[in-house]
Amino acid sequence: MFDPTDKPRVFGLAPGVDFGQAVVDGLLNLTRDHPADALARVEVLVNTRRMMRRMQSAFDPGQARLLPRFRLVTDLAQDPGLADIPPAVSPLRRRLELTQLVARLLEQDPDIAPRAALFDLSDSLASLFDEMHGEGVSLDRLESLDVSDLSEHWDRSLKFLQIARQFFDAGASPPDLETRQRMVVERLVADWGKAPPDHPIIVAGSTGSRGATALLMEAVAKLPNGAVILPGFDFDMPDRVWNRMTQADGFEDHPQYRFKRLMDALGLGPADIVPWSDGSAPDPDRNRLLSLALRPAPVTDGWLKEGPEQGNMAKATASISLLQAPSPRMEAETIALRLRAAVDNGKTAALITPDRNLTRQVAAALDRWNIVPDDSAGQPLQLSPPGRFLRHVCDLFVGPVTAETLLVLLKHPLAASGATDRGPHLRFARELELHLRRYGPPFPTGDTLRNWAGARVGTDSDAAIWANWVADLIDTVQRDVEQTTLAGFLDLHKTLAERFAAGPRVEGTGALWAEAAGREALKTVSNLAEAADAAGPMTSRDFQSLFNAVLAKGEVRNPDTGHPRVLFWGTLEARVQSADLVILAGLNDGTWPAAPSPDPWLNRRMRADAGLLLPERRIGLAAHDFQQAVAAPDVWLSRSVRSDEAETIPSRWLNRLTNLLNGLTETGGPEALKEMKRRGDLWLAQAAKLQEPDIRSAPAHRPSPRPPVEDRPRQISVTQVQKLVRDPYAIYARDVLGLKPVDPLVPEPDAPLRGILIHEIMERFIFDGPDPTDPSARDALMQTARTVFAEGCPWPTIRELWIARFENVVDGFLEDEVQRLATATPAQREATGQIDLPGVNVRLTARADRIDRTPDGQIVIYDYKTGTPPNNKQQLKFDKQLLLQAAMAARGGFAQIGAAPTHSAAFIGLGSTPTVVAAPMDKESPDDTWEGLIDLLSKWQRPTRGYSARMAMEKSDDKSDYDHLSRYGEWSDADDVTPEDLT
């Protein structure tokens, strides 16, 4: 099929050429004058199944014929003649084996990394070994490295790698995939040296970035009937640049560097690489421009001479649009709009980016038009419904079960999915949530669920069955979570997940393993179970880290749901496929090219000395993908000017192109660049317009609802009086509308909880403890504090902090208590009172923390404050709690005490700055306060008085529980109120 030659046979295809179609066209041209079976004798080796399908589909429009034999490079290992080479161990098993080594390393030297990094370190170590095997770097070469002038960490790293020699020595352990692939290639090369194949063999589409593949390409190129076809070969780069392209000169980040290495290994020059077919690039002028722009730094002086020779830049950039969006969201919205337009015009559009967050944002924006893209990467398994569900179940293993982790699991769509009707399940889950929010506990147990079912739900048998189902699962977690093996954890995890998915009294697994995502999740769990014996002992937290890491590597793809004209490609797919419109997005430094991942085992110099891949070489691979994709017929270059946090830096390749164009003033470069930006700005403006609402609603007014007098509150507490003055709208929302704030799902050790506990401490000590003058009083008070905090604060760290803070106020409190007891004797704790206000038809209620009685029958009222007590000015104007309680006591409002005059009243501050603030009874008598309250409430009986929002907030930045209901923010505190009569 090929003409005889004394040189290795290497062909190339320029960037932008439809690679799959061009390979097929070349095969048909070469076999046109040969027998019908000549094409069938050709063996084509490719590196991805997508490339294989693309080439096979290129034959479909033609006549019926025998097709070549397409094989993956990795399929070479399936040759029956290579059965003596041991089968490869699965990558997952190898990583679990390495985990045991890394675990012992961390046990001996905890300063290297935390235990949580165990599996990340194992994964990076496995990747290092894969690379070493693929590049043919032996462990002996690492051992010979001189690290005497480096830090101790690198010497320690090399010593550790020597311990892992079992994974390098032949026969010590089964080979991994890279090792076996290299062994297969080396055997084939040796066999071909003795007896070359008598049929044509072609390696198509590979850049030789991996060591074993590069070795195969060299061997195939030397075969009498062999050939290599390079994708995206730069035929426009002059020989002088090719000749300077060496690692020493810093050319490794150039997109053509891998091809130069291959040519050097084969003894070829650029002139020896000839086009495979007659197919030409969509825009040769643009290819020449990009070839010049991507020249590495040592030869960018060629811009001065070769730049003006490029010709009119308007022609070379006519099909390039530059989008510079203000944010990632607007970048995604604009790209989605352009993709939608391509669909409307019957064009095929492809989005190429390594930024998976951006592709998800674009997919969400496309959902506006019911367009589902054909995403080659699919959906991350961990973000699919089964993946999230399995992660939620795994969260139960770590620490005590919290209300949050339990309810997140129960509310997942897959929970109780085996039931014919999920309605009761959702209703019970909601009722349980409201109960846990209001009453807790923060860490529910099985008994919590059973008690809730018995007390709140009563005789509802369905609720009892549901509660027992959840309770049994919680008990199973708390009973069996103390596993030590991966197999034990996996069995428990799978059992719990299936029972949660099935539902109460339902057999099976519900919808957990259904659909593509469920099948992929089950496959992942099964693969992990098969390799479980390779893992060492682990804790529940180790299992969580491992399981989540394994799940994160999975992907779910349903090729039947994607739109055929909207394609999301990774950079690898872009090498072998073409589209009418190609959008290169996320062109910011750190994204494309990606920032080099840290290597905890070898630094840059050690990698260079050992012959391993350097960060520059990976950047060069990404650069080649960029050069391939940017040569499409119609191209968008897209980036966001800002990320979510700061300004971004343009990708170095985009920077080079814009800098080159700005300098080509003689050939219209700056004008061409402006036109590129103008085209992008046009679409950006359209996307921004699309974000504007169709109907502009007027901002809300400051509300002041006026409900009928008969529907206004008939009861108010002494603490709510302050709220009625400062924020009447809150009283309206709570007592008229009946809207009460929902307690947080996750209880927090906040100030209200601390206040409740300190109140309890004070009550127990004052009424049940020793006299404050007793030498044991301090110890007794602290023991009471420890007991109460232990009962009410389940967070050990916060509990100890609160105890320490409380101990700081104990001495001062006891000293003041001696003086208080000299005046009066404690008579009542948590005294509740109520009294009807004459003439206004409103009942006033109160709860006094503590009431003491003096020898002459008067009372003293105390209120404990863990925050800052209100000063006299605040009490006179707003906070009249103590003054009103004194007025109630004088009128018999506290039945336990009876009618009694108030000697004094005070707030006892127990916060960080202990203080006692007396009620200003000398400046305003309780009787005056009483009359003022009657006058205030009588005004609220007028129909014209509205419950205005935020009328007298103490601070402008104070929050109200009902700010969102009043739509605060659409109006300000300076706006006038807008009364609204309600019926």
Side-chain angles (χ1 to χ4, degrees):
M1 187 175 79
F2 297 112
D3 295 331
T5 178
D6 57 349
K7 291 184 177 182
R9 196 176 287 108
V10 180
F11 300 92
L13 286 170
V17 174
D18 186 340
F19 188 84
Q21 184 65 54
V23 170
V24 170
D25 291 343
L27 288 173
L28 294 176
N29 184 56
L30 288 173
T31 58
R32 180 175 293 110
D33 299 329
H34 291 71
D37 64 342
L39 189 60
R41 297 181 66 248
V42 178
E43 182 177 359
V44 182
L45 302 177
V46 297
N47 55 357
T48 66
R49 294 194 182 278
R50 182 178 288 271
M51 185 185 298
M52 181 189 300
R53 292 193 297 267
R54 175 70 183 95
M55 292 182 181
Q56 290 172 337
S57 65
F59 283 101
D60 294 342
Q63 63 186 26
R65 57 168 59 91
L66 298 174
L67 298 184
R69 182 186 181 191
F70 291 100
R71 299 178 67 189
L72 293 177
V73 172
T74 53
D75 288 344
L76 295 174
Q78 300 174 5
D79 193 318
L82 305 175
D84 58 317
I85 299 179
V89 66
S90 73
L92 181 57
R93 175 174 289 275
R94 178 53 42 87
R95 277 155 175 75
L96 291 177
E97 293 170 346
L98 290 173
T99 297
Q100 298 190 56
L101 284 178
V102 177
R104 288 196 290 270
L105 173 66
L106 295 182
E107 290 171 1
Q108 296 176 4
D109 195 349
D111 293 337
I112 292 179
R115 177 83 181 185
L118 171 62
F119 299 105
D120 289 335
L121 284 174
S122 303
D123 198 58
S124 65
L125 182 60
S127 299
L128 173 62
F129 286 172
D130 287 345
E131 183 182 342
M132 292 175 63
H133 292 141
E135 297 297 321
V137 177
S138 66
L139 192 59
D140 293 336
R141 192 184 302 180
L142 290 185
E143 293 174 353
S144 65
L145 296 179
D146 182 12
V147 294
S148 58
D149 58 340
L150 298 178
S151 67
E152 183 182 352
H153 168 80
W154 303 113
D155 181 61
R156 185 170 50 197
S157 174
L158 285 181
K159 291 179 180 178
F160 173 75
L161 292 177
Q162 295 173 17
I163 300 175
R165 180 173 287 277
Q166 58 177 309
F167 299 108
F168 284 89
D169 294 341
S173 63
D176 56 29
L177 291 178
E178 283 293 333
T179 303
R180 191 175 192 279
Q181 181 69 11
R182 191 172 185 92
M183 294 169 66
V184 167
V185 171
E186 290 174 345
R187 173 72 66 82
L188 286 175
V189 171
D191 292 346
W192 289 345
K194 301 174 183 176
D198 59 357
H199 65 280
I201 298 180
I202 299 173
V203 178
S206 179
T207 62
S209 59
R210 304 186 73 87
T213 307
L215 184 63
L216 175 67
M217 293 169 65
E218 294 172 18
V220 169
K222 296 176 181 178
L223 292 175
N225 287 314
V228 171
I229 307 174
L230 302 178
F233 185 83
D234 190 350
F235 290 100
D236 298 309
M237 193 158 59
D239 290 351
R240 62 180 182 83
V241 179
W242 281 108
N243 295 335
R244 286 198 57 183
M245 195 176 292
T246 62
Q247 180 180 359
D249 287 339
F251 276 73
E252 277 206 85
D253 61 351
H254 192 271
Q256 303 292 311
Y257 178 75
R258 268 120 320 266
F259 297 156
K260 179 59 164 57
R261 290 187 63 195
L262 177 65
M263 290 189 292
D264 290 344
L266 295 174
L268 301 177
D272 298 318
I273 312 299
V274 297
W276 167 255
S277 71
D278 296 333
S280 61
D283 193 334
D285 292 335
R286 190 197 310 160
N287 277 8
R288 287 193 295 272
L289 174 63
L290 266 296
S291 173
L292 180 61
L294 295 177
R295 300 275 176 87
V299 292
T300 48
D301 59 305
W303 286 9
L304 297 174
K305 178 183 178 183
E306 298 178 45
E309 298 173 357
Q310 292 285 321
N312 188 354
M313 287 297 100
K315 180 182 178 183
T317 61
S319 298
I320 303 179
S321 300
L322 177 57
L323 171 65
Q324 300 191 90
S327 67
R329 179 176 178 272
M330 283 308 301
E331 181 183 12
E333 293 285 349
T334 310
I335 291 172
L337 183 63
R338 184 65 185 91
L339 292 173
R340 187 263 177 106
V343 172
D344 290 345
N345 295 329
K347 303 292 186 180
T348 301
L351 170 63
I352 304 173
T353 179
D355 187 350
R356 293 300 299 165
N357 287 330
L358 180 59
T359 59
R360 284 193 284 271
Q361 287 180 299
V362 175
L366 285 170
D367 189 59
R368 176 189 290 118
W369 302 292
N370 295 322
I371 296 176
V372 179
D374 182 2
D375 192 344
S376 65
Q379 180 188 32
L381 179 59
Q382 62 177 346
L383 299 182
S384 67
R388 291 182 185 273
F389 188 78
L390 291 172
R391 287 161 55 202
H392 294 330
V393 175
C394 197
D395 290 341
L396 299 177
F397 293 2
V398 182
V401 176
T402 66
E404 181 185 23
T405 55
L406 177 61
L407 288 168
V408 164
L409 183 58
L410 292 176
K411 288 184 157 190
H412 192 281
L414 288 177
S417 56
T420 55
D421 180 13
R422 290 187 74 236
H425 166 76
L426 296 176
R427 176 167 61 88
F428 296 143
R430 178 181 179 277
E431 292 181 3
L432 176 62
E433 177 183 357
L434 294 176
H435 175 80
L436 293 177
R437 284 179 181 273
R438 181 68 180 88
Y439 303 102
F443 307 110
T445 63
D447 290 338
T448 303
L449 274 293
R450 296 185 185 94
N451 294 337
W452 165 78
R456 184 173 179 84
V457 185
T459 58
D460 189 340
S461 60
D462 290 338
I465 293 172
W466 183 86
N468 285 327
W469 165 66
V470 180
D472 290 343
L473 292 175
I474 295 178
D475 291 341
T476 300
V477 173
Q478 296 175 337
R479 181 184 65 247
D480 299 338
V481 75
E482 296 299 328
Q483 302 284 335
T484 57
T485 64
L486 176 57
F489 276 118
L490 277 174
D491 183 64
L492 174 63
H493 189 196
K494 189 168 182 286
T495 300
L496 284 173
E498 292 176 345
R499 290 178 61 189
F500 267 115
R505 294 191 175 182
V506 177
E507 298 296 330
T509 61
L512 177 59
W513 309 124
E515 306 300 333
R519 293 189 292 271
E520 186 64 27
L522 180 60
K523 178 182 176 181
T524 298
V525 173
S526 301
N527 290 342
L528 191 55
E530 290 178 3
D533 59 294
M538 62 176 57
T539 64
S540 59
R541 195 169 293 276
D542 291 339
F543 172 73
Q544 182 192 43
S545 300
L546 170 63
F547 186 82
N548 289 342
V550 172
L551 206 64
K553 294 181 178 297
E555 293 176 348
V556 181
R557 184 172 183 269
N558 190 347
D560 298 328
T561 60
H563 196 288
R565 292 191 179 276
V566 180
L567 312 171
F568 286 3
W569 291 339
T571 54
L572 184 61
E573 287 86 0
R575 299 179 188 173
V576 296
Q577 299 188 104
S578 62
D580 300 319
L581 168 67
V582 171
I583 301 176
L584 307 182
L587 285 171
N588 285 325
D589 213 46
T591 300
W592 202 358
S597 56
D599 187 346
W601 307 106
L602 301 175
N603 62 21
R604 189 183 187 284
R605 197 192 83 180
M606 295 165 69
R607 296 182 69 87
D609 293 344
L612 294 172
L613 299 179
L614 297 178
E616 290 85 351
R617 197 177 303 181
R618 293 188 173 91
I619 292 174
L621 289 173
H624 181 260
D625 295 333
F626 173 81
Q627 187 178 19
Q628 275 273 83
V630 80
D634 189 6
V635 177
W636 264 36
L637 304 178
S638 170
R639 62 176 291 260
S640 59
V641 177
R642 283 188 62 89
S643 66
D644 294 334
E645 299 176 353
E647 295 280 345
T648 58
I649 301 174
S651 170
R652 62 194 65 186
W653 311 311
L654 182 58
N655 235 355
R656 284 173 170 272
L657 177 60
T658 56
N659 288 341
L660 176 58
L661 288 174
N662 275 323
L664 297 177
T665 55
E666 298 177 2
T667 56
E671 292 75 14
L673 180 58
K674 289 180 182 178
E675 186 63 19
M676 290 166 52
K677 293 179 179 179
R678 188 197 64 80
R679 289 191 287 267
D681 291 343
L682 177 63
W683 286 96
L684 183 62
Q686 295 182 44
K689 192 69 176 177
L690 189 63
Q691 302 307 306
E692 297 179 3
D694 294 333
I695 301 176
R696 290 183 174 271
S697 58
H701 298 288
R702 187 176 190 173
S704 181
R706 299 190 296 203
V709 173
E710 60 271 17
D711 293 329
R712 301 192 180 195
R714 297 301 168 192
Q715 180 173 300
I716 189 171
S717 69
V718 294
T719 55
Q720 285 180 313
V721 172
Q722 177 186 8
K723 184 69 70 175
L724 183 64
V725 176
R726 291 193 179 276
D727 188 14
Y729 188 84
I731 299 296
Y732 164 77
R734 177 184 175 91
D735 296 330
V736 178
L737 299 182
L739 301 175
K740 297 182 179 180
V742 178
D743 295 320
L745 177 60
V746 181
E748 296 181 356
D750 51 14
L753 176 61
R754 180 170 173 264
I756 292 172
L757 298 180
I758 288 183
H759 276 67
E760 178 68 19
I761 295 169
M762 293 295 102
E763 289 178 20
R764 293 189 188 184
F765 176 77
I766 295 300
F767 290 92
D768 303 326
D771 189 276
T773 60
D774 191 301
S776 64
R778 190 182 194 282
D779 292 339
L781 179 55
M782 287 306 304
Q783 182 57 46
T784 301
R786 292 186 181 93
T787 301
V788 172
F789 281 132
E791 294 172 354
C793 181
W795 299 273
T797 303
I798 299 298
R799 182 167 61 240
E800 293 303 318
L801 176 62
W802 284 357
I803 291 174
R805 290 176 60 185
F806 182 76
E807 191 169 12
N808 292 333
V809 305
V810 165
D811 295 332
F813 171 79
L814 291 175
E815 292 177 6
D816 293 341
E817 188 62 23
V818 172
Q819 299 178 11
R820 285 189 284 268
L821 292 181
T823 303
T825 303
Q828 190 69 38
R829 55 183 167 185
E830 291 293 329
T832 58
Q834 61 181 25
I835 189 171
D836 292 329
L837 297 170
V840 294
N841 194 22
V842 174
R843 175 170 293 177
L844 182 65
T845 64
R847 180 186 294 271
D849 289 343
R850 169 183 169 186
I851 297 179
D852 292 4
R853 191 179 293 276
T854 63
D856 59 357
Q858 299 186 72
I859 64 171
V860 180
I861 303 175
Y862 295 112
D863 189 86
Y864 301 114
K865 291 289 186 183
T866 53
T868 302
N871 56 38
N872 285 350
K873 185 177 179 181
Q874 291 171 321
Q875 293 187 58
L876 288 171
K877 294 294 184 181
F878 299 101
D879 197 337
K880 297 179 178 292
Q881 174 185 346
L882 294 180
L883 292 172
L884 288 174
Q885 288 178 349
M888 289 180 63
R891 292 161 176 77
F894 293 98
Q896 308 98 318
I897 299 297
T902 300
H903 175 273
S904 61
F907 289 106
I908 301 175
L910 300 172
S912 56
T913 307
T915 184
V916 177
V917 179
M921 298 177 61
D922 56 334
K923 298 180 180 179
E924 181 178 321
S925 68
D927 291 338
D928 292 339
T929 303
W930 182 261
E931 295 299 327
L933 178 63
I934 294 175
D935 180 63
L936 173 68
L937 294 179
S938 64
K939 294 177 181 178
W940 284 101
Q941 306 308 309
R942 302 172 185 172
T944 57
R945 186 67 176 263
Y947 291 86
S948 303
R950 301 176 62 90
M951 282 304 297
M953 303 296 284
E954 184 174 4
K955 299 176 182 178
S956 60
D957 58 351
D958 282 349
K959 305 295 183 183
S960 170
D961 291 330
Y962 302 96
D963 280 343
H964 61 294
L965 184 64
S966 68
R967 295 172 70 172
Y968 178 60
E970 297 183 41
W971 52 268
S972 70
D973 292 334
D975 292 346
D976 294 330
V977 299
T978 303
E980 181 182 4
D981 292 318
L982 306 177
T983 58

